[in-house]
Amino acid sequence: MTGPQVSTAEERRRTLTAMLSAEPHRLRRRSISLGVRPDDADDAAQIAAMRAWRSIDGLERTDAGTMCSWLDVIARRTAIDLARRIPPTDGEVECERLRARHDVEHEAELHERLAVVLQSIRALPPELRDALLMSAVDGKSAGEIAERFGITPAAARQRVARARRALKRHPLMEGAPGLPDRPTG
C-alpha cells in the first residue's frame, strides 16, 4: 500500500475542474441541502467554486474522498456566511408566517402526508430503503453509503436514485411533491 499521493498545483486544479465539470450542479444541490434558499443557491455554488479554486494550493492530495470532503467544508462555510448576511427581520417574518399557518387542519394534513411517505418508504426493498435513508435523513455521502454496503460510490448513488424513482411511482405517492432525482455527494 502506498502513502498519500502528493500532487502538483496543476494536477489539483485539473482534478477540481474535472470534478465540477462532471457534476455541474453538485455545489448548488449541496448549498440547498445546507439551508441556502433555492433562489440563492446558484450564487452560493459560484462563491464556493471560487473559494475552492483560490485555496486549491493548500490541498495536498487529489483523491476523490479528500477532494469531496474539502469541497464540502467550503460549501458549508459558504452557506454559513450567506446565512449570516440575511437580516434578522427576514427570519422574524418567516416565523410569523409559519405561526399563522399553524392550525388543526394543517396539522392533520401534514400527519396524513407523513404517514403516506413513511408507508411508501417501508414498501421499498431494504437495500434501496437503507441507502435512501442514509442519504436523505443521515446526510451521508455516496462514498459513506458505499463503504457501509461494500459497493462503489456509483452503485450507492444508483441505489438512492432508484429508491427515489420507486417512491415517485408508488401508488400512495400520487400527487405528492416531487423528489430530487440525484443524491448528493
Side-chain angles (χ1 to χ4, degrees):
M1 186 171 209
T2 61
Q5 176 188 357
V6 177
S7 61
T8 66
E10 184 178 323
E11 287 175 295
R12 291 188 294 261
R13 290 191 192 283
R14 201 172 28 244
T15 303
L16 177 62
T17 301
M19 181 182 287
L20 294 177
S21 296
E23 289 189 82
H25 298 290
R26 170 194 205 110
L27 290 173
R28 183 181 194 286
R29 286 191 318 267
R30 184 63 178 134
S31 296
I32 291 171
S33 75
L34 292 167
V36 173
R37 293 183 306 206
D39 294 344
D40 297 330
D42 287 326
D43 292 336
Q46 186 174 13
I47 292 168
M50 287 187 326
R51 287 178 174 179
W53 188 260
R54 288 180 187 146
S55 64
I56 191 81
D57 293 332
L59 190 64
E60 293 181 14
R61 295 173 34 196
T62 58
D63 59 280
T66 301
M67 294 244 356
C68 284
S69 297
W70 170 77
L71 202 53
D72 187 58
V73 168
I74 292 172
R76 270 186 277 148
R77 288 180 180 164
T78 301
I80 290 167
D81 289 347
L82 288 175
R84 288 179 178 151
R85 292 182 190 163
I86 296 173
T89 55
D90 286 353
E92 292 169 9
V93 169
E94 184 68 17
C95 287
E96 193 60 41
R97 187 179 69 77
L98 290 174
R99 268 194 293 255
R101 290 182 52 200
H102 187 75
D103 58 31
V104 175
E105 185 177 317
H106 182 71
E107 284 290 320
E109 181 184 337
L110 285 177
H111 190 268
E112 285 177 29
R113 290 176 73 191
L114 181 59
V116 167
V117 170
L118 289 174
Q119 187 175 356
S120 300
I121 290 172
R122 286 185 192 114
L124 290 171
E127 67 277 0
L128 297 183
R129 180 181 57 237
D130 294 344
L132 175 68
L133 292 175
M134 287 178 73
S135 173
V137 177
D138 299 334
K140 301 289 186 191
S141 69
E144 293 169 316
I145 296 169
E147 187 177 314
R148 163 72 169 77
F149 290 111
I151 57 176
T152 66
R157 284 189 294 274
Q158 185 180 34
R159 282 187 185 183
V160 173
R162 284 175 44 210
R164 290 177 191 273
R165 280 194 303 274
L167 282 179
K168 283 182 182 179
R169 289 190 304 260
H170 195 280
L172 292 174
M173 295 295 286
E174 188 174 311
L179 297 167
D181 287 326
R182 303 223 17 172
T184 59

PDB file of all heavy atoms in Angstrom, residues 18-53:
ATOM      1  N   ALA A  18     -12.289  18.883 -13.318  1.00  0.00           N
ATOM      2  CA  ALA A  18     -12.970  17.667 -13.767  1.00  0.00           C
ATOM      3  C   ALA A  18     -14.137  17.325 -12.842  1.00  0.00           C
ATOM      4  O   ALA A  18     -15.222  16.941 -13.310  1.00  0.00           O
ATOM      5  CB  ALA A  18     -11.977  16.505 -13.828  1.00  0.00           C
ATOM      6  N   MET A  19     -13.938  17.471 -11.528  1.00  0.00           N
ATOM      7  CA  MET A  19     -14.989  17.146 -10.564  1.00  0.00           C
ATOM      8  C   MET A  19     -16.196  18.061 -10.746  1.00  0.00           C
ATOM      9  O   MET A  19     -17.340  17.603 -10.775  1.00  0.00           O
ATOM     10  CB  MET A  19     -14.448  17.272  -9.137  1.00  0.00           C
ATOM     11  CG  MET A  19     -15.472  16.933  -8.069  1.00  0.00           C
ATOM     12  SD  MET A  19     -14.823  17.147  -6.411  1.00  0.00           S
ATOM     13  CE  MET A  19     -13.735  15.749  -6.312  1.00  0.00           C
ATOM     14  N   LEU A  20     -15.943  19.358 -10.900  1.00  0.00           N
ATOM     15  CA  LEU A  20     -17.039  20.307 -11.051  1.00  0.00           C
ATOM     16  C   LEU A  20     -17.698  20.192 -12.427  1.00  0.00           C
ATOM     17  O   LEU A  20     -18.903  20.406 -12.555  1.00  0.00           O
ATOM     18  CB  LEU A  20     -16.549  21.737 -10.809  1.00  0.00           C
ATOM     19  CG  LEU A  20     -16.096  22.029  -9.376  1.00  0.00           C
ATOM     20  CD1 LEU A  20     -15.558  23.447  -9.264  1.00  0.00           C
ATOM     21  CD2 LEU A  20     -17.209  21.797  -8.375  1.00  0.00           C
ATOM     22  N   SER A  21     -16.928  19.811 -13.444  1.00  0.00           N
ATOM     23  CA  SER A  21     -17.487  19.621 -14.784  1.00  0.00           C
ATOM     24  C   SER A  21     -18.344  18.368 -14.849  1.00  0.00           C
ATOM     25  O   SER A  21     -19.365  18.338 -15.540  1.00  0.00           O
ATOM     26  CB  SER A  21     -16.369  19.524 -15.826  1.00  0.00           C
ATOM     27  OG  SER A  21     -15.655  20.724 -15.882  1.00  0.00           O
ATOM     28  N   ALA A  22     -17.922  17.324 -14.140  1.00  0.00           N
ATOM     29  CA  ALA A  22     -18.673  16.065 -14.156  1.00  0.00           C
ATOM     30  C   ALA A  22     -20.031  16.220 -13.482  1.00  0.00           C
ATOM     31  O   ALA A  22     -21.007  15.590 -13.891  1.00  0.00           O
ATOM     32  CB  ALA A  22     -17.866  14.964 -13.462  1.00  0.00           C
ATOM     33  N   GLU A  23     -20.097  17.039 -12.451  1.00  0.00           N
ATOM     34  CA  GLU A  23     -21.352  17.279 -11.737  1.00  0.00           C
ATOM     35  C   GLU A  23     -21.524  18.787 -11.552  1.00  0.00           C
ATOM     36  O   GLU A  23     -21.270  19.324 -10.480  1.00  0.00           O
ATOM     37  CB  GLU A  23     -21.331  16.597 -10.366  1.00  0.00           C
ATOM     38  CG  GLU A  23     -21.425  15.102 -10.418  1.00  0.00           C
ATOM     39  CD  GLU A  23     -21.614  14.544  -9.024  1.00  0.00           C
ATOM     40  OE1 GLU A  23     -22.766  14.539  -8.555  1.00  0.00           O
ATOM     41  OE2 GLU A  23     -20.615  14.138  -8.426  1.00  0.00           O
ATOM     42  N   PRO A  24     -21.986  19.469 -12.614  1.00  0.00           N
ATOM     43  CA  PRO A  24     -22.048  20.934 -12.543  1.00  0.00           C
ATOM     44  C   PRO A  24     -23.001  21.485 -11.485  1.00  0.00           C
ATOM     45  O   PRO A  24     -22.819  22.595 -11.024  1.00  0.00           O
ATOM     46  CB  PRO A  24     -22.495  21.343 -13.955  1.00  0.00           C
ATOM     47  CG  PRO A  24     -23.013  20.115 -14.595  1.00  0.00           C
ATOM     48  CD  PRO A  24     -22.409  18.943 -13.892  1.00  0.00           C
ATOM     49  N   HIS A  25     -23.982  20.707 -11.063  1.00  0.00           N
ATOM     50  CA  HIS A  25     -24.944  21.203 -10.075  1.00  0.00           C
ATOM     51  C   HIS A  25     -24.636  20.704  -8.664  1.00  0.00           C
ATOM     52  O   HIS A  25     -25.419  20.910  -7.748  1.00  0.00           O
ATOM     53  CB  HIS A  25     -26.363  20.807 -10.470  1.00  0.00           C
ATOM     54  CG  HIS A  25     -26.778  21.401 -11.779  1.00  0.00           C
ATOM     55  ND1 HIS A  25     -27.022  22.739 -11.931  1.00  0.00           N
ATOM     56  CD2 HIS A  25     -26.945  20.844 -13.001  1.00  0.00           C
ATOM     57  CE1 HIS A  25     -27.339  22.988 -13.174  1.00  0.00           C
ATOM     58  NE2 HIS A  25     -27.294  21.855 -13.857  1.00  0.00           N
ATOM     59  N   ARG A  26     -23.508  20.060  -8.490  1.00  0.00           N
ATOM     60  CA  ARG A  26     -23.128  19.480  -7.201  1.00  0.00           C
ATOM     61  C   ARG A  26     -23.144  20.528  -6.081  1.00  0.00           C
ATOM     62  O   ARG A  26     -23.755  20.319  -5.032  1.00  0.00           O
ATOM     63  CB  ARG A  26     -21.736  18.871  -7.325  1.00  0.00           C
ATOM     64  CG  ARG A  26     -21.128  18.448  -6.031  1.00  0.00           C
ATOM     65  CD  ARG A  26     -19.621  18.172  -6.193  1.00  0.00           C
ATOM     66  NE  ARG A  26     -19.230  17.250  -5.181  1.00  0.00           N
ATOM     67  CZ  ARG A  26     -18.879  15.993  -5.397  1.00  0.00           C
ATOM     68  NH1 ARG A  26     -18.833  15.520  -6.607  1.00  0.00           N
ATOM     69  NH2 ARG A  26     -18.544  15.222  -4.407  1.00  0.00           N
ATOM     70  N   LEU A  27     -22.480  21.657  -6.289  1.00  0.00           N
ATOM     71  CA  LEU A  27     -22.397  22.685  -5.241  1.00  0.00           C
ATOM     72  C   LEU A  27     -23.745  23.361  -5.018  1.00  0.00           C
ATOM     73  O   LEU A  27     -24.073  23.734  -3.891  1.00  0.00           O
ATOM     74  CB  LEU A  27     -21.327  23.717  -5.582  1.00  0.00           C
ATOM     75  CG  LEU A  27     -19.892  23.201  -5.492  1.00  0.00           C
ATOM     76  CD1 LEU A  27     -18.919  24.245  -6.017  1.00  0.00           C
ATOM     77  CD2 LEU A  27     -19.544  22.813  -4.067  1.00  0.00           C
ATOM     78  N   ARG A  28     -24.554  23.494  -6.066  1.00  0.00           N
ATOM     79  CA  ARG A  28     -25.880  24.082  -5.910  1.00  0.00           C
ATOM     80  C   ARG A  28     -26.756  23.178  -5.040  1.00  0.00           C
ATOM     81  O   ARG A  28     -27.402  23.636  -4.106  1.00  0.00           O
ATOM     82  CB  ARG A  28     -26.534  24.280  -7.280  1.00  0.00           C
ATOM     83  CG  ARG A  28     -27.885  24.958  -7.187  1.00  0.00           C
ATOM     84  CD  ARG A  28     -28.529  25.118  -8.580  1.00  0.00           C
ATOM     85  NE  ARG A  28     -29.643  26.027  -8.537  1.00  0.00           N
ATOM     86  CZ  ARG A  28     -30.826  25.736  -8.017  1.00  0.00           C
ATOM     87  NH1 ARG A  28     -31.046  24.547  -7.493  1.00  0.00           N
ATOM     88  NH2 ARG A  28     -31.800  26.619  -8.001  1.00  0.00           N
ATOM     89  N   ARG A  29     -26.757  21.880  -5.353  1.00  0.00           N
ATOM     90  CA  ARG A  29     -27.553  20.931  -4.561  1.00  0.00           C
ATOM     91  C   ARG A  29     -27.076  20.908  -3.113  1.00  0.00           C
ATOM     92  O   ARG A  29     -27.878  20.880  -2.180  1.00  0.00           O
ATOM     93  CB  ARG A  29     -27.448  19.520  -5.159  1.00  0.00           C
ATOM     94  CG  ARG A  29     -28.221  19.321  -6.420  1.00  0.00           C
ATOM     95  CD  ARG A  29     -28.308  17.842  -6.814  1.00  0.00           C
ATOM     96  NE  ARG A  29     -27.076  17.105  -6.643  1.00  0.00           N
ATOM     97  CZ  ARG A  29     -26.160  16.928  -7.584  1.00  0.00           C
ATOM     98  NH1 ARG A  29     -26.335  17.427  -8.784  1.00  0.00           N
ATOM     99  NH2 ARG A  29     -25.066  16.238  -7.335  1.00  0.00           N
ATOM    100  N   ARG A  30     -25.763  20.908  -2.928  1.00  0.00           N
ATOM    101  CA  ARG A  30     -25.220  20.872  -1.566  1.00  0.00           C
ATOM    102  C   ARG A  30     -25.613  22.135  -0.811  1.00  0.00           C
ATOM    103  O   ARG A  30     -25.940  22.072   0.376  1.00  0.00           O
ATOM    104  CB  ARG A  30     -23.697  20.702  -1.606  1.00  0.00           C
ATOM    105  CG  ARG A  30     -23.083  20.549  -0.246  1.00  0.00           C
ATOM    106  CD  ARG A  30     -23.600  19.286   0.446  1.00  0.00           C
ATOM    107  NE  ARG A  30     -22.972  19.129   1.736  1.00  0.00           N
ATOM    108  CZ  ARG A  30     -23.633  18.825   2.837  1.00  0.00           C
ATOM    109  NH1 ARG A  30     -24.922  18.582   2.804  1.00  0.00           N
ATOM    110  NH2 ARG A  30     -22.995  18.711   3.977  1.00  0.00           N
ATOM    111  N   SER A  31     -25.587  23.273  -1.483  1.00  0.00           N
ATOM    112  CA  SER A  31     -25.972  24.533  -0.838  1.00  0.00           C
ATOM    113  C   SER A  31     -27.421  24.478  -0.368  1.00  0.00           C
ATOM    114  O   SER A  31     -27.731  24.865   0.760  1.00  0.00           O
ATOM    115  CB  SER A  31     -25.787  25.705  -1.804  1.00  0.00           C
ATOM    116  OG  SER A  31     -24.433  25.851  -2.143  1.00  0.00           O
ATOM    117  N   ILE A  32     -28.292  23.969  -1.216  1.00  0.00           N
ATOM    118  CA  ILE A  32     -29.709  23.859  -0.848  1.00  0.00           C
ATOM    119  C   ILE A  32     -29.866  22.910   0.335  1.00  0.00           C
ATOM    120  O   ILE A  32     -30.619  23.180   1.266  1.00  0.00           O
ATOM    121  CB  ILE A  32     -30.554  23.407  -2.059  1.00  0.00           C
ATOM    122  CG1 ILE A  32     -30.586  24.530  -3.096  1.00  0.00           C
ATOM    123  CG2 ILE A  32     -31.974  23.030  -1.626  1.00  0.00           C
ATOM    124  CD1 ILE A  32     -31.197  24.133  -4.431  1.00  0.00           C
ATOM    125  N   SER A  33     -29.117  21.794   0.309  1.00  0.00           N
ATOM    126  CA  SER A  33     -29.222  20.840   1.422  1.00  0.00           C
ATOM    127  C   SER A  33     -28.713  21.436   2.727  1.00  0.00           C
ATOM    128  O   SER A  33     -29.071  20.968   3.805  1.00  0.00           O
ATOM    129  CB  SER A  33     -28.459  19.551   1.101  1.00  0.00           C
ATOM    130  OG  SER A  33     -27.064  19.743   1.221  1.00  0.00           O
ATOM    131  N   LEU A  34     -27.897  22.470   2.637  1.00  0.00           N
ATOM    132  CA  LEU A  34     -27.373  23.136   3.830  1.00  0.00           C
ATOM    133  C   LEU A  34     -28.253  24.309   4.277  1.00  0.00           C
ATOM    134  O   LEU A  34     -27.898  25.031   5.196  1.00  0.00           O
ATOM    135  CB  LEU A  34     -25.946  23.630   3.567  1.00  0.00           C
ATOM    136  CG  LEU A  34     -24.905  22.534   3.406  1.00  0.00           C
ATOM    137  CD1 LEU A  34     -23.615  23.103   2.841  1.00  0.00           C
ATOM    138  CD2 LEU A  34     -24.635  21.853   4.732  1.00  0.00           C
ATOM    139  N   GLY A  35     -29.395  24.495   3.603  1.00  0.00           N
ATOM    140  CA  GLY A  35     -30.325  25.524   4.046  1.00  0.00           C
ATOM    141  C   GLY A  35     -30.303  26.809   3.244  1.00  0.00           C
ATOM    142  O   GLY A  35     -31.021  27.757   3.576  1.00  0.00           O
ATOM    143  N   VAL A  36     -29.497  26.873   2.202  1.00  0.00           N
ATOM    144  CA  VAL A  36     -29.495  28.069   1.357  1.00  0.00           C
ATOM    145  C   VAL A  36     -30.783  28.051   0.533  1.00  0.00           C
ATOM    146  O   VAL A  36     -31.182  27.005   0.020  1.00  0.00           O
ATOM    147  CB  VAL A  36     -28.258  28.070   0.418  1.00  0.00           C
ATOM    148  CG1 VAL A  36     -28.326  29.211  -0.574  1.00  0.00           C
ATOM    149  CG2 VAL A  36     -26.981  28.155   1.240  1.00  0.00           C
ATOM    150  N   ARG A  37     -31.446  29.204   0.440  1.00  0.00           N
ATOM    151  CA  ARG A  37     -32.682  29.275  -0.348  1.00  0.00           C
ATOM    152  C   ARG A  37     -32.369  28.940  -1.799  1.00  0.00           C
ATOM    153  O   ARG A  37     -31.312  29.325  -2.317  1.00  0.00           O
ATOM    154  CB  ARG A  37     -33.284  30.675  -0.268  1.00  0.00           C
ATOM    155  CG  ARG A  37     -33.794  31.018   1.113  1.00  0.00           C
ATOM    156  CD  ARG A  37     -34.437  32.375   1.123  1.00  0.00           C
ATOM    157  NE  ARG A  37     -33.511  33.382   0.575  1.00  0.00           N
ATOM    158  CZ  ARG A  37     -33.550  34.660   0.872  1.00  0.00           C
ATOM    159  NH1 ARG A  37     -34.463  35.132   1.677  1.00  0.00           N
ATOM    160  NH2 ARG A  37     -32.694  35.494   0.352  1.00  0.00           N
ATOM    161  N   PRO A  38     -33.253  28.216  -2.482  1.00  0.00           N
ATOM    162  CA  PRO A  38     -33.013  27.861  -3.887  1.00  0.00           C
ATOM    163  C   PRO A  38     -32.705  29.072  -4.765  1.00  0.00           C
ATOM    164  O   PRO A  38     -31.912  28.971  -5.698  1.00  0.00           O
ATOM    165  CB  PRO A  38     -34.309  27.175  -4.320  1.00  0.00           C
ATOM    166  CG  PRO A  38     -34.832  26.568  -3.057  1.00  0.00           C
ATOM    167  CD  PRO A  38     -34.479  27.566  -1.969  1.00  0.00           C
ATOM    168  N   ASP A  39     -33.311  30.227  -4.454  1.00  0.00           N
ATOM    169  CA  ASP A  39     -33.030  31.437  -5.230  1.00  0.00           C
ATOM    170  C   ASP A  39     -31.576  31.885  -5.089  1.00  0.00           C
ATOM    171  O   ASP A  39     -31.040  32.538  -5.982  1.00  0.00           O
ATOM    172  CB  ASP A  39     -33.935  32.590  -4.776  1.00  0.00           C
ATOM    173  CG  ASP A  39     -35.398  32.330  -5.088  1.00  0.00           C
ATOM    174  OD1 ASP A  39     -35.681  31.429  -5.898  1.00  0.00           O
ATOM    175  OD2 ASP A  39     -36.252  33.029  -4.512  1.00  0.00           O
ATOM    176  N   ASP A  40     -30.953  31.562  -3.963  1.00  0.00           N
ATOM    177  CA  ASP A  40     -29.574  31.972  -3.701  1.00  0.00           C
ATOM    178  C   ASP A  40     -28.565  30.857  -3.949  1.00  0.00           C
ATOM    179  O   ASP A  40     -27.362  31.066  -3.795  1.00  0.00           O
ATOM    180  CB  ASP A  40     -29.442  32.438  -2.244  1.00  0.00           C
ATOM    181  CG  ASP A  40     -30.300  33.661  -1.954  1.00  0.00           C
ATOM    182  OD1 ASP A  40     -30.520  34.463  -2.886  1.00  0.00           O
ATOM    183  OD2 ASP A  40     -30.744  33.808  -0.804  1.00  0.00           O
ATOM    184  N   ALA A  41     -29.045  29.669  -4.315  1.00  0.00           N
ATOM    185  CA  ALA A  41     -28.162  28.505  -4.418  1.00  0.00           C
ATOM    186  C   ALA A  41     -27.123  28.646  -5.525  1.00  0.00           C
ATOM    187  O   ALA A  41     -25.978  28.214  -5.359  1.00  0.00           O
ATOM    188  CB  ALA A  41     -28.978  27.233  -4.621  1.00  0.00           C
ATOM    189  N   ASP A  42     -27.490  29.255  -6.654  1.00  0.00           N
ATOM    190  CA  ASP A  42     -26.509  29.436  -7.728  1.00  0.00           C
ATOM    191  C   ASP A  42     -25.378  30.359  -7.276  1.00  0.00           C
ATOM    192  O   ASP A  42     -24.206  30.100  -7.564  1.00  0.00           O
ATOM    193  CB  ASP A  42     -27.170  30.001  -8.987  1.00  0.00           C
ATOM    194  CG  ASP A  42     -28.016  28.964  -9.706  1.00  0.00           C
ATOM    195  OD1 ASP A  42     -27.639  27.771  -9.679  1.00  0.00           O
ATOM    196  OD2 ASP A  42     -29.041  29.337 -10.286  1.00  0.00           O
ATOM    197  N   ASP A  43     -25.741  31.432  -6.555  1.00  0.00           N
ATOM    198  CA  ASP A  43     -24.713  32.336  -6.036  1.00  0.00           C
ATOM    199  C   ASP A  43     -23.813  31.617  -5.039  1.00  0.00           C
ATOM    200  O   ASP A  43     -22.588  31.772  -5.071  1.00  0.00           O
ATOM    201  CB  ASP A  43     -25.356  33.554  -5.367  1.00  0.00           C
ATOM    202  CG  ASP A  43     -26.068  34.453  -6.366  1.00  0.00           C
ATOM    203  OD1 ASP A  43     -25.709  34.417  -7.557  1.00  0.00           O
ATOM    204  OD2 ASP A  43     -26.981  35.184  -5.946  1.00  0.00           O
ATOM    205  N   ALA A  44     -24.416  30.843  -4.159  1.00  0.00           N
ATOM    206  CA  ALA A  44     -23.636  30.099  -3.166  1.00  0.00           C
ATOM    207  C   ALA A  44     -22.693  29.119  -3.850  1.00  0.00           C
ATOM    208  O   ALA A  44     -21.527  28.974  -3.453  1.00  0.00           O
ATOM    209  CB  ALA A  44     -24.568  29.357  -2.205  1.00  0.00           C
ATOM    210  N   ALA A  45     -23.182  28.444  -4.883  1.00  0.00           N
ATOM    211  CA  ALA A  45     -22.340  27.483  -5.608  1.00  0.00           C
ATOM    212  C   ALA A  45     -21.171  28.185  -6.288  1.00  0.00           C
ATOM    213  O   ALA A  45     -20.036  27.702  -6.257  1.00  0.00           O
ATOM    214  CB  ALA A  45     -23.176  26.737  -6.643  1.00  0.00           C
ATOM    215  N   GLN A  46     -21.434  29.337  -6.871  1.00  0.00           N
ATOM    216  CA  GLN A  46     -20.370  30.074  -7.542  1.00  0.00           C
ATOM    217  C   GLN A  46     -19.332  30.577  -6.540  1.00  0.00           C
ATOM    218  O   GLN A  46     -18.133  30.482  -6.778  1.00  0.00           O
ATOM    219  CB  GLN A  46     -20.950  31.245  -8.327  1.00  0.00           C
ATOM    220  CG  GLN A  46     -19.925  31.967  -9.169  1.00  0.00           C
ATOM    221  CD  GLN A  46     -20.545  33.035 -10.057  1.00  0.00           C
ATOM    222  OE1 GLN A  46     -21.695  33.405  -9.890  1.00  0.00           O
ATOM    223  NE2 GLN A  46     -19.771  33.519 -10.992  1.00  0.00           N
ATOM    224  N   ILE A  47     -19.790  31.074  -5.413  1.00  0.00           N
ATOM    225  CA  ILE A  47     -18.864  31.544  -4.369  1.00  0.00           C
ATOM    226  C   ILE A  47     -18.015  30.376  -3.868  1.00  0.00           C
ATOM    227  O   ILE A  47     -16.800  30.489  -3.709  1.00  0.00           O
ATOM    228  CB  ILE A  47     -19.631  32.216  -3.221  1.00  0.00           C
ATOM    229  CG1 ILE A  47     -20.264  33.525  -3.695  1.00  0.00           C
ATOM    230  CG2 ILE A  47     -18.711  32.458  -2.023  1.00  0.00           C
ATOM    231  CD1 ILE A  47     -21.284  34.107  -2.724  1.00  0.00           C
ATOM    232  N   ALA A  48     -18.657  29.233  -3.621  1.00  0.00           N
ATOM    233  CA  ALA A  48     -17.918  28.056  -3.142  1.00  0.00           C
ATOM    234  C   ALA A  48     -16.897  27.601  -4.172  1.00  0.00           C
ATOM    235  O   ALA A  48     -15.759  27.248  -3.821  1.00  0.00           O
ATOM    236  CB  ALA A  48     -18.886  26.919  -2.810  1.00  0.00           C
ATOM    237  N   ALA A  49     -17.270  27.609  -5.453  1.00  0.00           N
ATOM    238  CA  ALA A  49     -16.328  27.196  -6.505  1.00  0.00           C
ATOM    239  C   ALA A  49     -15.140  28.157  -6.575  1.00  0.00           C
ATOM    240  O   ALA A  49     -13.991  27.721  -6.714  1.00  0.00           O
ATOM    241  CB  ALA A  49     -17.041  27.122  -7.850  1.00  0.00           C
ATOM    242  N   MET A  50     -15.409  29.454  -6.444  1.00  0.00           N
ATOM    243  CA  MET A  50     -14.311  30.432  -6.466  1.00  0.00           C
ATOM    244  C   MET A  50     -13.395  30.245  -5.251  1.00  0.00           C
ATOM    245  O   MET A  50     -12.170  30.305  -5.375  1.00  0.00           O
ATOM    246  CB  MET A  50     -14.857  31.857  -6.490  1.00  0.00           C
ATOM    247  CG  MET A  50     -15.440  32.232  -7.830  1.00  0.00           C
ATOM    248  SD  MET A  50     -15.931  33.970  -8.031  1.00  0.00           S
ATOM    249  CE  MET A  50     -16.503  34.476  -6.447  1.00  0.00           C
ATOM    250  N   ARG A  51     -13.984  30.009  -4.097  1.00  0.00           N
ATOM    251  CA  ARG A  51     -13.176  29.787  -2.899  1.00  0.00           C
ATOM    252  C   ARG A  51     -12.328  28.527  -3.048  1.00  0.00           C
ATOM    253  O   ARG A  51     -11.169  28.498  -2.640  1.00  0.00           O
ATOM    254  CB  ARG A  51     -14.063  29.665  -1.661  1.00  0.00           C
ATOM    255  CG  ARG A  51     -14.666  30.972  -1.226  1.00  0.00           C
ATOM    256  CD  ARG A  51     -15.580  30.789  -0.035  1.00  0.00           C
ATOM    257  NE  ARG A  51     -16.047  32.061   0.479  1.00  0.00           N
ATOM    258  CZ  ARG A  51     -16.867  32.181   1.508  1.00  0.00           C
ATOM    259  NH1 ARG A  51     -17.308  31.116   2.145  1.00  0.00           N
ATOM    260  NH2 ARG A  51     -17.244  33.383   1.910  1.00  0.00           N
ATOM    261  N   ALA A  52     -12.912  27.494  -3.627  1.00  0.00           N
ATOM    262  CA  ALA A  52     -12.165  26.253  -3.839  1.00  0.00           C
ATOM    263  C   ALA A  52     -11.004  26.501  -4.790  1.00  0.00           C
ATOM    264  O   ALA A  52      -9.873  26.060  -4.540  1.00  0.00           O
ATOM    265  CB  ALA A  52     -13.090  25.167  -4.387  1.00  0.00           C
ATOM    266  N   TRP A  53     -11.260  27.197  -5.873  1.00  0.00           N
ATOM    267  CA  TRP A  53     -10.212  27.470  -6.866  1.00  0.00           C
ATOM    268  C   TRP A  53      -9.071  28.275  -6.235  1.00  0.00           C
ATOM    269  O   TRP A  53      -7.904  27.999  -6.470  1.00  0.00           O
ATOM    270  CB  TRP A  53     -10.818  28.235  -8.046  1.00  0.00           C
ATOM    271  CG  TRP A  53      -9.866  28.389  -9.187  1.00  0.00           C
ATOM    272  CD1 TRP A  53      -9.118  29.479  -9.495  1.00  0.00           C
ATOM    273  CD2 TRP A  53      -9.548  27.397 -10.158  1.00  0.00           C
ATOM    274  NE1 TRP A  53      -8.369  29.236 -10.603  1.00  0.00           N
ATOM    275  CE2 TRP A  53      -8.608  27.956 -11.031  1.00  0.00           C
ATOM    276  CE3 TRP A  53      -9.971  26.094 -10.367  1.00  0.00           C
ATOM    277  CZ2 TRP A  53      -8.077  27.258 -12.106  1.00  0.00           C
ATOM    278  CZ3 TRP A  53      -9.444  25.402 -11.436  1.00  0.00           C
ATOM    279  CH2 TRP A  53      -8.513  25.979 -12.298  1.00  0.00           C
TER     280      TRP A  53
END
